[in-house]
Each structure stands twice: as C-alpha cells, then as structure tokens.
Amino acid sequence: MATDWNLIRTLINSAIDACELAENLGPLEPLRGATTRVNGMAVTVYDFLQSAHVYPENLKYSVIRARHLNSEDKPYTPELARILLNIGALCAELVDCNQLTNSVTGVNPHNPDTPESVESMIKGLATWYADHFSEGIAAAIQGSEDFEE
C-alpha cells in the first residue's frame, strides 16, 4: 500500500480535535482580538484561526514540491484523493449546522418528495461507505480475473 492512511488519519483527527476544542471554548467571533503570548509575541484568536487554514494550504504546496523532487509527480488527482476532498467539503458544511435532525423536503435530488434530515443523510453516506462501497469494491476486485492475491 503506497498511502500512509495512519498519517492521514492523524492529521484529520488532530484538525477535528482542534476545531472541536475551539468551538467548545465558546463563540469565537467576539473574541477574535483576544491575545496570548507565543515566543514573546502577542498572538490573537484571529491569528490562530487564520493560521489553522493557511498552514495546511501552504503545506500542500510544499508536499507537491517534495513529491516532484522525489520523482513522485501525480499526473491527475486519484479517485481516493477526490473522495477525501469532497468529504472534507461536505464536513465543512456541517460546521455550525444546528438543525441536524430537522427533516426537510426537496433536498434529495433522487427522492425530492421524501423529508430527510441532514443527520440521516450523513449517516446514510457513512453507512454507504462502510457497507455498499467497501463490500462492493472488494467483491468486484476479488472477483476480477486480473486480481492477484
């Protein structure tokens, strides 16, 4: 396996833990100017929030350069990476979403007349990954004449 999934899991979990901690500290908007000292410099809540999204954005380019220097250029974004990109975007929509269990009609393009909650849709996707995707892709690959154990 070429991908270090534990490294990815560590990064994602640390970001989730940091976001959860920040949210549990209370509303951040009125406290953006609150400061603490880091290495002798005053650092604001706003500084921390900006760094938390700029740091990974900038580090992404460092990883791209490192991959290039290690002759690991990628000619396209692989499907597994695209899954992570879209799951991240979906998870971002859940931040500050307070009506998770409120059923609404007209949101599911495949079944627009059925009321669904955000929570049920998210849990449905999680179940789809755990059951349908995982079992289906494993069965397809293992049943292929090209599959080698």
Side-chain angles (χ1 to χ4, degrees), residues 1-12 80-81 83-84:
M1 181 175 359
T3 303
D4 186 339
W5 291 105
N6 285 326
L7 184 61
I8 292 170
R9 190 175 288 108
T10 296
L11 179 58
I12 288 174
L80 297 181
I83 292 169
L84 291 178

Side-chain angles (χ1 to χ4, degrees), residues 45-95:
V45 167
Y46 180 78
D47 294 330
F48 282 112
L49 292 172
Q50 290 300 303
S51 293
H53 74 84
V54 171
Y55 188 171
E57 182 180 11
N58 290 339
L59 188 56
K60 175 179 90 169
Y61 296 110
S62 295
V63 170
I64 290 169
R65 286 189 298 274
R67 286 182 66 135
H68 173 72
L69 294 171
N70 286 321
S71 299
E72 290 185 335
D73 291 319
K74 50 179 205 182
Y76 71 101
T77 301
E79 288 80 5
L80 297 181
R82 296 172 88 191
I83 292 169
L84 291 178
L85 283 168
N86 286 301
I87 286 296
L90 174 58
C91 288
E93 292 300 326
L94 298 175
V95 174

Side-chain angles (χ1 to χ4, degrees), residues 71-149:
S71 299
E72 290 185 335
D73 291 319
K74 50 179 205 182
Y76 71 101
T77 301
E79 288 80 5
L80 297 181
R82 296 172 88 191
I83 292 169
L84 291 178
L85 283 168
N86 286 301
I87 286 296
L90 174 58
C91 288
E93 292 300 326
L94 298 175
V95 174
D96 288 335
C97 182
N98 298 309
Q99 301 295 322
L100 292 172
T101 59
N102 186 32
S103 290
V104 290
T105 304
V107 296
N108 183 339
H110 303 291
N111 204 353
D113 297 328
T114 303
E116 290 187 77
S117 69
V118 170
E119 180 182 59
S120 70
M121 291 185 287
I122 297 300
K123 286 182 176 179
L125 177 58
T127 299
W128 182 87
Y129 277 120
D131 297 341
H132 186 74
F133 175 85
S134 297
E135 291 176 14
I137 199 167
I141 290 171
Q142 291 169 352
S144 169
E145 59 189 45
D146 297 325
F147 178 67
E148 297 176 19
E149 289 192 51

